[in-house]
Amino acid sequence: TSTLSDRSLTGRLVCGTTLSTLRRHPDSRLAELFSGQPKLLTDPQGRFFIDRDGSRFGSVLEFLRSDRLPVENIQEVYEEAVHYNIKPLIKRLEEAPQLFGELVGRQQFLSRVPHYKENIEVLIRIARADAIAARRSSILICVLRSEEDLGCYDDAINRLEADKESVVTFGPWKAAPSVRDLLDCVKMDIQSRGYQVSVEPHAAERSFLSKSYNFFHKLTFTWW
């Protein structure tokens, strides 16, 4: 029997298990850690240390023991399964309803939006730079749903009275989700990083003769 102590910033969890359980899937990183001479530090009591969140590791052990899947914190356990490369657990979790829509639906859509992940990082970087002595930071997003919208981009950006240099552009993409869906994804992914954000259409000034575009939206970070 081996005793593991999972360390995290929030505390410590001691788990008792066997080497055969840890080595159940030989091609996993977890099995590799405990194959031959264990590659982990131990404490004076001989307990192995794994510097991961212990509350998640219990669910990983439960699957290794009994093939039982977790019923909560699915995303967090999935991240642990990926970290330890436990392929059967990864596959089972990806088929669970809680992850299926995220991986097959949302992530597949976002993979068709050019530079999506990079744009999220740009939005956060701009907002943080504008946060000095401010309660809120606002950034304009330009969402181009189609190639036709892209053809109108130059005219739309030239008519924009706001700061054109800081506008972050998404699209176009070839998938069914709408502009609203894309904006929901932007908001969701930024909020998952711990930020408080809201999105609303940018109210541009209009004149009777000038053509207007609905490409622009205001993303607002609230700091306090």
Side-chain angles (χ1 to χ4, degrees), residues 4-222:
L4 304 177
S5 178
D6 270 22
R7 299 182 301 178
S8 70
L9 294 177
T10 57
R12 175 180 293 179
L13 176 69
V14 177
C15 302
T17 188
T18 63
L19 286 175
S20 61
T21 296
L22 298 170
R23 298 168 179 168
R24 182 178 176 190
H25 299 289
D27 60 345
S28 71
R29 183 166 183 261
L30 192 59
E32 179 187 350
L33 289 172
F34 289 94
S35 296
Q37 186 68 26
K39 306 170 180 65
L40 297 168
L41 297 175
T42 59
D43 69 4
Q45 287 74 43
R47 296 178 299 192
F48 296 105
F49 285 103
I50 299 178
D51 198 8
R52 301 286 292 179
D53 190 334
S55 63
R56 305 174 183 182
F57 192 72
S59 296
V60 173
L61 280 182
E62 187 60 35
F63 177 81
L64 294 176
R65 293 184 183 117
S66 64
D67 284 336
R68 186 179 302 167
L69 292 176
V71 295
E72 57 185 17
N73 300 320
I74 304 297
Q75 180 65 46
E76 291 79 4
V77 177
Y78 177 76
E79 291 170 2
E80 294 302 291
V82 171
H83 175 76
Y84 293 116
N85 192 32
I86 305 173
K87 294 177 182 177
L89 179 54
I90 293 171
K91 185 175 186 298
R92 293 276 300 278
L93 290 175
E94 287 179 348
E95 293 172 349
Q98 297 93 327
L99 281 183
F100 183 82
E102 170 68 14
L103 297 174
V104 176
R106 200 175 82 92
Q107 292 300 329
Q108 286 295 316
F109 158 53
L110 294 179
S111 70
R112 291 163 168 76
V113 180
H115 311 298
Y116 177 82
K117 291 182 179 180
E118 294 89 339
N119 281 351
I120 294 295
E121 298 301 325
V122 170
L123 288 170
I124 293 173
R125 187 166 64 248
I126 294 174
R128 291 174 67 93
D130 288 345
I132 299 174
R135 184 169 187 177
R136 297 179 180 86
S137 301
S138 294
I139 309 165
L140 281 188
I141 297 174
C142 177
V143 183
L144 305 172
R145 173 66 183 81
S146 65
E147 292 292 338
E148 181 180 353
D149 291 344
L150 180 60
C152 299
Y153 173 78
D154 287 342
D155 186 49
I157 201 75
N158 288 333
R159 294 174 185 270
L160 188 67
E161 296 186 0
D163 179 14
K164 301 176 177 60
E165 297 298 323
S166 61
V167 176
V168 179
T169 301
F170 291 84
W173 61 87
K174 294 181 180 179
S178 65
V179 169
R180 183 73 259 170
D181 295 327
L182 185 281
L183 293 172
D184 285 344
C185 288
V186 170
K187 182 178 178 180
M188 183 186 308
D189 287 331
I190 293 177
Q191 286 180 333
S192 72
R193 304 273 291 271
Y195 297 96
Q196 181 180 345
V197 293
S198 60
V199 183
E200 60 184 358
H202 173 62
E205 295 185 7
R206 300 181 178 183
S207 68
F208 179 74
L209 296 177
S210 65
K211 184 176 181 179
S212 61
Y213 298 91
N214 59 355
F215 301 156
F216 301 101
H217 305 265
K218 185 169 71 171
L219 178 72
T220 301
F221 287 69
T222 300

